[in-house]
Amino acid sequence: MAIICPAILTDDPAVFQAQLEEYKTFSRRVQIDSSDGTFAPSTTVPLNGAQFPEGLNVDVHVMSARPSEHLSTILALKPSLCIMHAEVDDNLAGLTTELHAAGIKVGLALLKGTFPGKIKDLIANVDHVMIFAGDLGHQGGNIDMLQIEKVPLIRAIKPDVEIGWDGGSNLSNVRALAHAGIDVINVGSALSRAADKSAMYQSLVAESEKKGVLV
């Protein structure tokens, strides 16, 4: 059964806090997209000194060309999961070791053109692999459903790894994603732009759990 995970991406501190407080009322897991402008074309609210609600599992998606520069912030926040991009020029193996030593799970995000077979060693050492299928640094972008083909390739490298999906998830495709073997479906604009976010979340969960073919 796939987990529907609300995703927060904003440069407005008020919006950030409001979404965090609202999402915690109906979801036990939230992803925070953090961008410093070096990897994604936008910047988000800095996470220095941020406070996460008690009992909420927080995944931090670090969109930075140098995630090592944010290590001290991540260690201080101690999220459940820290996701870094496979494409960056940084010591990802070393960062994975440091994060694991601090009790933080590690995730690896793969952009559309990144083939899992070329980063087997990195995948073998992480807890989560995110298939990125949207527009980096933006919510509401187009979805590339062909990225689903990466699921069996990732499973062949590490069968028990948690697989996430980020980019374009909504009511029209969430069932297909769940049936494709995605464990965590991150949802951005479909929730943030909904008039009733709780009702939309419940609809997404119900749709993801439906059996059979899409009609």
Side-chain angles (χ1 to χ4, degrees), residues 4 20 33 37 44-45 53 58 64 81 86 106 113 120 124 130 145 151 157 192 194 202 206:
I4 304 299
L20 194 58
D33 291 315
T44 60
V45 174
V58 176
S64 172
L81 171 69
V106 179
K120 288 182 179 180
M130 175 202 286
M145 292 297 286
V151 173
I157 298 168
S192 65
Q202 298 306 327

Side-chain angles (χ1 to χ4, degrees), residues 76-114:
L77 290 171
K78 200 158 187 180
S80 300
L81 171 69
C82 175
I83 303 168
M84 302 173 289
H85 274 269
E87 301 81 11
V88 302
D89 183 17
D90 209 345
N91 182 12
L92 293 179
L95 288 169
T96 295
T97 298
E98 290 193 63
L99 289 165
H100 276 158
I104 300 171
K105 292 181 179 179
V106 179
L108 196 64
L110 279 58
L111 294 180
K112 296 175 187 178
T114 301

Side-chain angles (χ1 to χ4, degrees), residues 178-199:
H179 279 256
I182 304 295
D183 300 306
V184 182
I185 303 171
N186 296 298
V187 182
S189 62
L191 277 173
S192 65
R193 298 176 187 174
D196 187 333
K197 295 177 177 56
S198 179

